[in-house]
Amino acid sequence: MDSDGVAAELIWHFSQNGENLPWVGLGLGNVYSHQLELGSVAYDMYNRWLADFCSTDPERLLGLVYIPSWDIDASIRTLHWARDHGLRCVNFPAPGRPSVKEYNHWDWDPFWSACTDLGFSLSTHSSGGPHFDFFGGPGGMQIVAYEGGSFMSRRAAWILIFGQVFERHPGLNLVITEQVEGWYRPTMQELDSFYLSFTMDSELPRLPSDYLRRNVFLGASFISPWQAQDAVANGYADNVLWGRDYPHVEGVFQATVGPDDEPMTRLALRHVFHALPPDDALKILGRNGVRVFGLDASYLAGVARRIGAPTPEQLAVPPVSLPDNDGNGFMGQAGPRPLEPERIARAEKRKAMLAGG
């Protein structure tokens, strides 16, 4: 974090290190109906470890507490325990988990109230949607990865909007992280168009896009220049939170360094943000996160100075060249835009490597 200039960072389970949760596997997966008791124990074990780990600097290490979402009362108790132990963020499962009530159900209202009263934000990671078995035929991994990084992991946004949860709980924040790029603006447009065409059984006092702008945020892991510029051009830069996806291999933290021994993350930051207005760059890189997660801005500003985090003046300098990087760090996530030559070249390189054994 210090070498990359990162003052604070969210921590999920699932770091590609083979350390699964006991009995229930990866922290992004489903806990099935026959595992609920074991799942509760596994989550409790992980949460206690997480609180201890983050206690070294809880303003910088933002651990996401895991809730037994199949038991709403127990989930509320977990929030109170977590707040007492320095945690303030919830790993929020995507809708459709086994034995979990849908998020527009009235039974969830005490949980939403607890989140706002205790200062918890909700964070949903890609690949956290309901499980379907696509492995009986070809393309299973591609189908799972595409759905997990797109529609299936974003469903809570419109469920909480149309379910009037954000209307009843205006201080509730939902961050949806590591998705394919370009979903935020079309989702605003689509929800408004749908709502005005099909009001159906209930009406909202404002447009769905108003709730999206106020309550829903885009966690942008290894953001592309296109995504950053689209956010600025279309007025949703206040809703974008930059991330480096440490320690995943596709992120920008790579241990190798770019030209002039500059860490990859800092080089990627200049690549993305040099063309943005400084105020918008600073929002995406930190100010939005401070606001959404209720962080101590003064403390983190001191951390940034101490570790030599990039300044606006440094971010404004475009890179002279970019390294030959096989990850997504300099292209960003996939998204609804023309294929970049670099992405095509990388795919051809991998194809040639596989053909060569």
Side-chain angles (χ1 to χ4, degrees):
M1 290 172 68
D2 288 359
S3 63
D4 275 1
V6 175
E9 195 157 54
L10 266 68
I11 301 173
W12 272 271
H13 183 267
F14 180 41
S15 58
Q16 295 180 344
N17 64 358
E19 293 290 342
N20 292 348
L21 293 177
W23 305 300
V24 296
L26 297 175
L28 297 176
N30 290 299
V31 176
Y32 295 99
S33 56
H34 67 282
Q35 298 176 302
L36 299 185
E37 184 176 5
L38 289 174
S40 295
V41 176
Y43 283 5
D44 179 66
M45 292 170 66
Y46 175 73
N47 289 337
R48 286 187 284 117
W49 171 85
L50 183 69
D52 181 63
F53 180 83
C54 295
S55 66
T56 57
D57 197 336
E59 285 294 328
R60 298 191 66 189
L61 303 174
L62 309 176
L64 290 130
V65 65
Y66 277 60
I67 58 170
S69 51
W70 51 89
D71 185 334
I72 297 173
D73 288 339
S75 296
I76 295 172
R77 291 193 297 271
T78 299
L79 290 185
H80 284 275
W81 177 91
R83 201 67 183 95
D84 290 342
H85 289 78
L87 303 177
R88 68 184 78 190
C89 311
V90 175
N91 178 65
F92 188 57
R97 294 295 183 93
S99 304
V100 177
K101 292 182 178 179
E102 295 296 351
Y103 291 143
N104 66 326
H105 198 288
W106 287 105
D107 284 0
W108 277 101
D109 246 38
F111 179 83
W112 312 134
S113 294
C115 285
T116 55
D117 291 346
L118 296 171
F120 276 88
S121 292
L122 311 173
S123 293
T124 298
H125 197 283
S126 67
S127 75
H131 177 72
F132 298 95
D133 185 3
F134 293 111
F135 294 96
M141 184 56 69
Q142 287 90 342
I143 297 169
V144 169
Y146 178 73
E147 288 195 345
S150 56
F151 174 87
M152 296 303 289
S153 291
R154 297 198 295 267
R155 293 175 61 234
W158 45 89
I159 291 174
L160 298 181
I161 289 172
F162 291 130
Q164 302 179 12
V165 173
F166 289 140
E167 175 61 29
R168 297 192 304 274
H169 304 275
L172 188 65
N173 292 327
L174 171 65
V175 181
I176 302 175
T177 294
E178 200 164 328
Q179 301 284 295
V180 294
E181 292 187 334
W183 65 269
Y184 198 90
R185 176 166 53 95
T187 299
M188 288 193 291
Q189 297 167 342
E190 186 177 76
L191 291 178
D192 285 351
S193 177
F194 174 84
Y195 175 70
L196 293 177
S197 301
F198 304 98
T199 54
M200 296 189 181
D201 63 340
S202 62
E203 291 195 16
L204 298 168
R206 60 183 74 198
L207 288 173
S209 61
D210 293 332
Y211 296 103
L212 207 73
R213 288 183 182 276
R214 188 186 69 187
N215 300 96
V216 180
F217 301 86
L218 186 163
S221 297
F222 45 90
I223 188 173
S224 70
W226 176 88
Q227 176 67 91
Q229 293 164 18
D230 188 74
V232 172
N234 292 285
Y236 63 95
D238 287 341
N239 295 79
V240 181
L241 286 66
W242 173 83
R244 61 179 179 150
D245 197 35
Y246 176 86
H248 284 189
V249 295
E250 66 270 27
V252 297
F253 78 95
Q254 308 291 336
T256 54
V257 295
D260 303 319
D261 290 334
E262 181 178 20
M264 286 282 195
T265 296
R266 294 176 183 252
L267 185 66
L269 287 173
R270 294 198 292 117
H271 172 59
V272 172
F273 292 100
H274 75 268
L276 262 61
D279 188 57
D280 289 313
L282 291 175
K283 286 179 182 178
I284 295 172
L285 287 170
R287 290 176 181 169
N288 293 342
V290 167
R291 173 169 52 90
V292 171
F293 295 109
L295 307 180
D296 187 332
S298 177
Y299 178 81
L300 293 179
V303 171
R305 289 190 296 270
R306 176 175 61 80
I307 66 176
T311 65
E313 293 76 19
Q314 292 169 334
L315 291 172
V317 179
V320 175
S321 62
L322 297 177
D324 182 14
N325 183 278
D326 281 342
N328 295 318
F330 294 92
M331 291 180 290
Q333 294 272 16
R337 57 184 182 272
L339 279 172
E340 308 92 332
E342 298 85 357
R343 200 178 298 271
I344 297 173
R346 186 186 67 173
E348 291 296 329
K349 179 180 176 182
R350 288 181 175 174
K351 184 178 179 180
M353 290 176 62
L354 290 173

